[in-house]
Amino acid sequence: MSVQIRTLEEHLHASPQADSELTTQEYLVNMGPQHPIAHGSLRVVLRLDGENVKFVIPVPGYVHRGVEKMCEHLTYRQIIPYTDRLDYLSAIMNNWAVAKTVEKALGIETNARIETIRTIMSELQRLQSHALWWGVTGMDLGAYTAFLYGFREREIIGEIFEETIGARLTMNYIQPGGLMYDIQPDFAAKVKKLIPYLHGCIAQYETLLSGNTIFQERLRNIGVMDGAEALALGCTGPILRASGVPLDLRATEAYGVYDQVNFNVVVGAVGDSWDRYYVRLHEMRESLRIIEQLIDNVPEGDYATLRYNEELILPEGLHYGQTETARGAFGVFIDSDGKRPHPRRLHFRSPSFNNMWVVTRIAAGWRIADFIAIQSSLDLVIPDIDR
Amino acid sequence: MGMIQATQIVNEERPIAGKTVSVSVVQRLRPPTRFQVALLGMQGLLQGMWLTLTYFWSPVEVVTREYPENRDSLKITERFRGNLRFKFPNEVAHQTHSALLEQIAQETQTHPEVAENWIRDEDDTRWYHNCTGCSKCEEACPNASIRILTRHGEILDDREIDRFVWRLDSCMFCNACVLACPWDAIEMTGGFENAVFDRRLLVYSLNRLAAPRINLIQDEQDPAVRARMIDWRSRYGGPIPLGGTGLPNLPAIGAPKVQECPVSHAGSTAVAP
Ligand code: SF4
Ligand code: SF4
């Protein structure tokens, strides 16, 4: 795939004459950074010929906080609450990525209980994230009811998190060498009660949105992307899988206890917005399947293997670790000097950043309303893009 | 789902990254004709509306919480990370902290936050604490929301806490300070109603006494010596919470303030204690 780079400046000076027979003019229109459809401060410059989108340029940077730079002055335990604030809907998986990298670099052993709880919590978080995404997609495409339904499930899972973790959004739960707290005694019972309820909810989702032909028509065959292109753009997560590439770190890297459970990687057949929608919906069922297999026998053991105040100094060199969040592969790249308890340099490979550039390839040629559907099906979290 | 299924799931095996994984492929069914689309559109619409309608006679569970009407019945979980506060081991026997604040706030006609400044009772034992001033929490805090000021205690000839300054405005409720404290001196409470009218009120000291740890005070038998170990510290005041000093047109926080009552006693002033 060849890459053609044009700056925003060059685009601005491109011919304003539209192709249509009518004497119309092309316009550059900013969608965002404050736009109800953007789910955050993402500015998207659209070149429009009437309703038709000629091309799309995402302009990130409105919520850039320099997290990676800040992390150079923080210990590894202190970095973890900052990862909550990247992809806040996958906070636990982000925590896990840092913890995993540190554990691998230092050779810290964890026990089966810790890994099982981490896996269950990650899957609950994935369910929560997909439920929210489902609702927001409905809202973007004009079905406000869906938004309320999605949030209902989100809050119910949030309550389980709140009891064990103490927070609903910014978890800071998975620590190097363990967890912050042990699970509450009634955690398993509550989660078990949740599983049939969520199966019912997914059936409701099918009725409310998937079964709606208007909704189907707005997604089907819109924004088709094939697997090769998705790989070339560095996409991960449901977006890549919807294009037919079964890359799921849970299956291919098998961290945690994912190698001890049966689950299927959900892939799409066409690679359009509908596949991206349905892959996520079916992934929720697979997440429930994983939880079902684990929740009955959480092994006994300690919930932490390190003292909290222990100083963690990574050996000199480069360390990388990644987890599969609700949006794709979240990687942590640490360069340690082997002397100080901080990284010398740190980089987060965030899934939303790569996934965002999909719009430049697949949104051209569609109407504005289709662009909304495409953007919605990408499930972007803006603080994850900007970091 | 019914008859308007657009998708079916087919399970198979596929190779990826040197492994074979079991996949569920989301297969597309034949797209409906225009006529079917119109028909199915109606059906989808009615199904959705029917689902909504059923809630009228079988509300499964009312999911909406009516805050603040339900404030009294609100259950906050025990681990919820709201406000940071000191553990006062002796406090249990006394009136609860917030009730006391409410009472003082009413008496002095001020905000409960400010009322903390006037909490001062004869019985100092209530405010004995576990903190040694070791600064572990300050080191653990990722964004410098804690400042530990220590002083040299004359009687025990040792370091002790002078002020534990907590910046609620920059805290991110990560719980690192609580986990890092080796003496179990602080805790996260369920309090979440943090709105104040003046942002200076968000920086304050958590300790009421500049004093050594509770067991060190209680080991001392002579009440006169005990009393000399302790110095009172108000919530706002000291070098870091500004206390309003130096800002024009703003009364200092904690200073007795002149209240003007605009309606009934026009012109008269009342001085809060
Ligand atoms: S909760 Fe976290 S941010 Fe807040 S004071 Fe404690 S360590 Fe600092
Ligand atoms: S609260 Fe705990 S960690 Fe912080 S200074 Fe006091 S004893 Fe040390």
Side-chain angles (χ1 to χ4, degrees):
Chain A
M1 196 181 83
S2 67
V3 181
Q4 189 200 2
I5 298 170
R6 286 175 83 188
T7 59
L8 190 54
E9 192 71 27
E10 284 163 345
H11 278 305
L12 282 172
H13 292 118
S15 151
Q17 188 56 51
D19 304 336
S20 63
E21 295 132 39
L22 303 169
T23 42
T24 54
Q25 197 188 348
E26 284 188 1
Y27 280 101
L28 281 164
V29 174
N30 281 314
M31 196 180 248
Q34 304 296 334
H35 193 275
I37 225 65
H39 304 182
S41 299
L42 176 66
R43 172 176 161 218
V44 184
V45 183
L46 304 175
R47 192 171 188 105
L48 297 177
D49 176 9
E51 271 279 299
N52 294 321
V53 177
K54 303 292 269 197
F55 62 77
V56 180
I57 310 166
V59 188
Y62 288 85
V63 279
H64 184 70
R65 295 146 293 171
V67 170
E68 290 162 355
K69 191 72 192 165
M70 270 196 265
C71 289
E72 289 170 24
H73 305 279
L74 300 174
T75 65
Y76 297 103
R77 281 198 197 272
Q78 289 174 339
I79 288 171
I80 288 176
Y82 279 95
T83 60
D84 294 340
R85 281 133 180 103
L86 306 178
D87 180 355
Y88 43 80
L89 299 176
S90 308
I92 288 180
M93 288 89 115
N94 293 357
N95 295 170
W96 197 353
V98 179
K100 198 168 153 241
T101 315
V102 172
E103 281 162 12
K104 203 172 80 187
L106 285 172
I108 299 167
E109 290 286 322
T110 55
N111 57 33
R113 182 180 181 84
I114 294 173
E115 294 298 328
T116 310
I117 295 173
R118 285 175 176 184
T119 309
I120 295 172
M121 286 291 184
S122 292
E123 290 312 309
L124 282 175
Q125 177 98 78
R126 192 183 315 278
L127 280 165
Q128 199 193 33
S129 168
H130 283 352
L132 176 76
W133 160 83
W134 177 84
V136 169
T137 296
M139 189 181 69
D140 287 351
L141 300 181
Y144 189 75
T145 314
F147 181 71
L148 299 176
Y149 278 75
F151 256 88
R152 179 188 64 184
E153 272 68 76
R154 184 186 153 67
E155 291 308 313
I156 286 168
I157 302 174
E159 251 151 51
I160 290 183
F161 282 145
E162 194 186 308
E163 284 194 351
T164 284
I165 302 176
R168 284 166 170 268
L169 193 68
T170 53
M171 308 293 185
N172 187 24
Y173 182 56
I174 296 179
Q175 301 283 328
L179 307 163
M180 186 193 238
Y181 289 122
D182 205 352
I183 47 173
Q184 296 278 28
D186 58 350
F187 174 79
K190 288 212 167 141
V191 173
K192 268 209 298 241
K193 235 172 71 189
L194 190 73
I195 292 170
Y197 172 76
L198 283 178
H199 273 302
C201 290
I202 297 172
Q204 273 188 351
Y205 293 176
E206 297 269 15
T207 311
L208 277 173
L209 272 194
S210 322
N212 189 324
T213 318
I214 304 164
F215 184 74
Q216 289 174 8
E217 292 290 307
R218 286 202 60 185
L219 292 179
R220 207 184 286 134
N221 297 329
I222 307 286
V224 183
M225 179 171 60
D226 61 25
E229 193 166 18
L231 280 172
L233 284 164
C235 297
T236 44
I239 296 173
L240 178 63
R241 294 197 281 276
S243 298
V245 185
L247 184 74
D248 188 329
L249 297 176
R250 294 177 292 166
T252 55
E253 272 193 15
Y255 56 97
V257 288
Y258 284 117
D259 49 351
Q260 294 163 26
V261 289
N262 292 322
F263 69 98
N264 287 355
V265 178
V266 191
V267 298
V270 183
D272 58 356
S273 297
W274 173 261
D275 273 355
R276 288 192 280 273
Y277 168 83
Y278 207 83
V279 162
R280 288 202 187 85
L281 205 60
H282 199 68
E283 253 181 31
M284 291 175 75
R285 295 199 186 99
E286 294 295 328
S287 290
L288 286 173
R289 225 176 111 195
I290 296 174
I291 297 172
E292 254 166 21
Q293 293 169 54
L294 292 174
I295 195 69
D296 272 328
N297 27 29
V298 179
E300 290 300 312
D302 286 337
Y303 67 90
T305 56
L306 283 184
R307 263 191 325 112
Y308 191 84
N309 286 335
E310 207 142 316
E311 196 168 54
L312 303 169
I313 300 179
L314 262 54
E316 185 171 4
L318 307 175
H319 310 282
Y320 184 73
Q322 54 186 5
T323 51
E324 179 80 24
T325 72
R327 271 152 210 83
F330 179 83
V332 182
F333 189 64
I334 297 172
D335 173 11
S336 171
D337 59 6
K339 295 188 206 76
R340 295 174 308 143
H342 323 292
R344 178 161 56 198
R345 187 76 185 84
L346 181 136
H347 175 68
F348 292 122
R349 185 247 177 253
S350 64
S352 294
F353 183 79
N354 290 63
N355 294 350
M356 169 183 68
W357 299 102
V358 170
V359 290
T360 60
R361 309 288 305 182
I362 63 174
W366 298 103
R367 303 288 174 95
I368 296 176
D370 298 328
F371 170 71
I372 306 282
I374 290 169
Q375 206 202 18
S376 212
S377 74
L378 295 180
D379 189 14
L380 301 176
V381 166
I382 313 305
D384 196 30
I385 295 172
D386 283 344
R387 299 196 290 285
Chain B
M1 246 182 294
M3 33 189 284
I4 40 168
Q5 205 166 9
T7 305
Q8 81 181 28
I9 304 289
V10 181
N11 292 336
E12 58 181 60
E13 304 272 315
R14 275 199 201 174
I16 180 78
K19 285 193 177 183
T20 310
V21 294
S22 43
V23 297
S24 298
V25 188
V26 179
Q27 290 286 359
R28 194 64 52 84
L29 298 181
R30 195 173 52 81
T33 61
R34 271 258 168 275
F35 175 67
Q36 279 171 322
V37 166
L39 218 62
L40 294 176
M42 281 310 285
Q43 192 200 349
L45 204 68
L46 290 176
Q47 270 193 351
M49 281 162 78
W50 177 253
L51 179 64
T52 312
L53 203 67
T54 54
Y55 278 90
F56 278 106
W57 60 85
S58 64
V60 196
E61 191 195 348
V62 179
V63 287
T64 318
R65 310 267 171 85
E66 296 196 354
Y67 179 81
E69 285 79 8
N70 66 350
R71 254 181 107 198
D72 298 330
S73 60
L74 208 59
K75 267 217 289 298
I76 307 283
T77 55
E78 142 210 7
R79 286 180 186 171
F80 183 78
R81 308 208 288 259
N83 274 345
L84 187 68
R85 80 176 276 231
F86 254 45
K87 278 186 181 169
F88 296 117
N90 280 349
E91 194 192 7
V92 196
H94 297 266
Q95 196 178 8
T96 64
H97 191 64
S98 54
L100 186 71
L101 284 184
E102 290 283 333
Q103 185 193 327
I104 295 178
Q106 267 184 8
E107 281 167 15
T108 57
Q109 296 178 15
T110 42
H111 194 275
E113 300 289 326
V114 181
E116 281 240 16
N117 254 337
W118 288 294
I119 291 188
R120 179 74 204 261
D121 47 351
E122 297 306 306
D123 184 13
D124 283 329
T125 59
R126 175 190 309 201
W127 309 112
Y128 287 176
H129 54 69
N130 265 328
C131 179
T132 59
C134 68
S135 297
K136 278 274 185 281
C137 49
E138 189 180 3
E139 281 165 30
C141 181
N143 53 9
S145 296
I146 292 176
R147 192 63 207 283
I148 302 290
L149 304 176
T150 53
R151 64 171 196 173
H152 187 81
E154 300 278 306
I155 309 281
L156 292 172
D157 193 21
D158 202 358
R159 182 188 60 181
E160 61 191 38
I161 185 85
D162 187 4
R163 278 180 194 281
F164 184 114
V165 181
W166 180 51
R167 296 197 61 135
L168 167 59
D169 53 352
S170 71
C171 177
M172 58 185 190
F173 307 102
C174 65
N175 214 23
C177 45
V178 176
L179 294 177
C181 178
W183 304 97
D184 196 20
I186 42 180
E187 63 181 354
M188 280 286 180
T189 62
F192 61 94
E193 294 165 322
N194 290 330
V196 287
F197 284 105
D198 189 328
R199 69 195 158 96
R200 292 172 301 167
L201 295 174
L202 297 173
V203 185
Y204 52 86
S205 4
L206 299 181
N207 60 324
R208 294 278 78 85
L209 299 175
R213 286 188 70 198
I214 175 167
N215 55 346
L216 297 178
I217 307 182
Q218 283 175 344
D219 286 349
E220 177 60 55
Q221 300 302 327
D222 185 354
V225 181
R226 268 202 210 186
R228 275 170 52 214
M229 283 178 176
I230 291 166
D231 272 321
W232 180 257
R233 291 287 179 262
S234 64
R235 185 178 169 101
Y236 301 100
I240 292 191
L242 267 175
T245 44
L247 294 181
N249 304 328
L250 272 174
I253 297 170
K257 77 174 171 193
V258 180
Q259 290 171 333
E260 289 202 19
C261 194
V263 192
S264 51
H265 316 286
S268 74
T269 55
V271 178

